[in-house]
Amino acid sequence: NTVINQSGAFYVIQSSAGSKTLSFGLAYKFAGNTPPTITTTANAVDLIVYTVRKANSVICDIVQNVGNFNDT
């Protein structure tokens, strides 16, 4: 459940095979109103930061390819 003004970050870790995708619900808002495509390289790590503006609006940004799961 969302809490207004809640903020945080989470990592998206790609599988060892790579090529996995991720879809976002309508509440998730990214720059340009376009959800990102996560990094599909095997073991890639993307970081998503967010702030809950209201119950149906989660403002997000993504930092892609911040590392490799095997390096962390």
Side-chain angles (χ1 to χ4, degrees):
N1 295 336
T2 58
V3 176
I4 294 173
N5 294 323
Q6 175 184 357
S7 62
F10 59 92
Y11 292 99
V12 178
I13 302 171
Q14 188 60 252
S15 73
S16 60
S19 301
K20 304 294 185 200
T21 61
L22 178 66
S23 59
F24 297 89
L26 296 176
Y28 294 88
K29 312 293 183 194
F30 290 87
N33 292 321
T34 304
T37 301
I38 62 169
T39 305
T40 57
T41 307
N43 299 309
V45 179
D46 291 345
L47 172 66
I48 297 177
V49 294
Y50 70 91
T51 300
V52 179
R53 196 166 78 88
K54 47 187 178 175
N56 62 349
S57 182
V58 182
I59 308 303
C60 300
D61 198 4
I62 186 168
V63 181
Q64 293 186 293
N65 207 21
V66 296
N68 183 295
F69 182 68
N70 292 325
D71 295 337
T72 57

